[in-house]
Amino acid sequence: MQNQEKIIDMFNKIAPTYDKANKILSFGIDASWRSSACDQVLKNFNSSLNIADVACGTGDMIQAWINSAKKANLKIDKITGIDPSKQMLKVAKEKLPNCEFKEAKADNTGLNPNTQDIVSISYGIRNVVARTQALHEFNRVLKIGGYLVVLEFTKRDKSGPIAKIRDFYLHNILPAIGGFISKNKEAYEYLPRSIEGFLDSNEFCRELERSGFEMVIVKGFSMNISTMFIAKKVKNI
Ligand SMILES: C[S@@+](CC[C@H](N)C(=O)[O-])C[C@H]1O[C@@H](n2cnc3c(N)ncnc32)[C@H](O)[C@@H]1O
C-alpha cells in the first residue's frame, strides 16, 4: 500500500476502533511517549503558543499538549489539529470539542507562513507519501526558532534478540489483535510494512537538516520502540 488515498481510506475504516486498539497494542505506553515529548519541548517556552498537530488522528497528541502546557503553566493561544481522514477527525472532534480541526494533508496544511511556535506529528510522518514536501511545509509554517516534534517507529537493524522479539510482535501479534479489534487485519499488516518502508533515525535526521532544521534531541523510548525527534527551524528554505 503506497497510494496516499488508500492509506487515508484505511484510517477512515479503522477510526472507530483506533483508540481501543492503540491502548491494547501499546499497553498504554504510547501516552507516556507523547507526554515526554511535549514536556521536553515546552521547556523552551515561557510565553503563549500556537501549535499545529499534523496527522492528529483521534487527537491524542493534542490532549498531550494541553496537559503538558497546563503542568508547565503555559497558555496555548491556538492549537490546530490537521488530518486528511474525515473519520479520524470525527472522533477527535468528539473528544476535543473546543479545538480547531482542518481536513488537510501534511504537505499542504493551509496554515499561514511563519505562524507556528510548534508543529508536531506523532506516528504520522510514515504515512505521508509526499514526505519531503511535508517537511518543507512544516518549515514554511513554523516561525524561525520554532520546534518540530516527530514521534515515530523507525526502521531498525534486524539483528539481535530484541529486534527478533519486536519483529515477531509487529508481524504476528499486532495484526492478529489489531485485526480482531478493528475487523480490518489488512490495516494492521500495513503497520510493520510501513515501518520497514520508512527511514532509520540517522537518515530521517539528515532529511530534517536538508529541510532547514537543526537537530536538538533524538531519543528512543522503551528499548527504542519509538523515537522522538526534536528539531529547531533555523532558516527558511
Ligand atoms: C497512526 S495515526 C496517528 C494519529 C495520532 N497522531 C496519534 O498519535 O495517535 C496516523 C494518522 O496519519 C494520518 N495521515 C495519513 N496520511 C496523511 C497525510 N498525507 N498527511 C497528514 N496526515 C496523514 C492518518 O489519517 C492518521 O490519522
Side-chain angles (χ1 to χ4, degrees):
M1 192 189 294
Q2 242 293 315
N3 180 308
Q4 184 67 83
E5 297 315 312
K6 270 198 202 165
I7 294 172
I8 296 167
D9 187 48
M10 182 197 81
F11 281 104
N12 275 326
K13 288 188 181 131
I14 62 170
T17 52
Y18 178 84
D19 282 350
K20 186 175 174 194
N22 221 14
K23 273 197 191 74
I24 294 172
L25 290 168
S26 75
F27 310 105
I29 306 171
D30 58 320
S32 73
W33 298 336
R34 289 190 195 83
S35 70
S36 297
C38 298
D39 290 347
Q40 186 66 46
V41 177
L42 291 180
K43 284 182 192 161
N44 299 290
F45 292 90
N46 53 23
S47 58
S48 56
L49 305 154
N50 282 335
I51 303 176
D53 183 45
V54 181
C56 67
T58 61
D60 282 0
M61 190 67 176
I62 298 178
Q63 188 61 63
W65 283 122
I66 294 170
N67 295 346
S68 290
K70 206 170 171 185
K71 259 194 295 177
N73 241 331
L74 282 167
K75 180 172 176 285
I76 299 177
D77 272 340
K78 189 168 177 188
I79 185 157
T80 313
I82 296 167
D83 200 287
S85 159
K86 270 194 185 15
Q87 299 307 321
M88 294 293 270
L89 285 178
K90 183 170 176 254
V91 179
K93 285 175 190 165
E94 279 160 15
K95 284 159 69 180
L96 297 156
N98 299 323
C99 293
E100 189 168 307
F101 292 96
K102 267 173 183 271
E103 188 184 323
K105 292 186 193 132
D107 56 310
N108 185 10
T109 61
L111 296 169
N112 289 327
N114 302 305
T115 51
Q116 304 302 309
D117 297 289
I118 298 171
V119 170
S120 57
I121 178 161
S122 62
Y123 312 106
I125 195 71
R126 204 175 2 100
N127 303 297
V128 176
V129 174
R131 187 176 63 242
T132 307
Q133 292 92 318
L135 298 183
H136 291 190
E137 174 71 355
F138 302 160
N139 178 293
R140 186 186 72 79
V141 304
L142 274 166
K143 297 174 185 171
I144 293 267
Y147 286 85
L148 172 66
V149 186
V150 183
L151 284 167
E152 197 46 275
F153 304 116
T154 54
K155 198 163 76 183
R156 300 264 151 217
D157 180 358
K158 294 225 159 234
S159 54
I162 290 176
K164 292 216 161 45
I165 295 168
R166 177 181 134 117
D167 266 10
F168 182 77
Y169 175 78
L170 285 173
H171 288 276
N172 300 283
I173 298 175
L174 187 133
I177 299 176
F180 177 74
I181 297 170
S182 66
K183 308 285 173 254
N184 187 332
K185 192 162 182 232
E186 199 199 332
Y188 286 87
E189 283 166 349
Y190 159 76
L191 184 75
R193 280 205 311 276
S194 69
I195 297 172
E196 277 152 22
F198 190 57
L199 307 173
D200 68 28
S201 288
N202 285 331
E203 289 166 336
F204 187 52
C205 289
R206 302 295 83 79
E207 271 201 2
L208 289 168
E209 285 163 354
R210 284 194 295 274
S211 305
F213 294 97
E214 181 184 279
M215 296 314 302
V216 180
I217 302 177
V218 181
K219 185 178 174 200
F221 292 124
S222 311
M223 294 191 297
N224 290 333
I225 291 172
S226 168
T227 307
M228 169 182 81
F229 300 86
I230 300 181
K232 192 175 188 171
K233 173 176 166 179
V234 285
K235 60 178 179 196
N236 287 310
I237 50 157

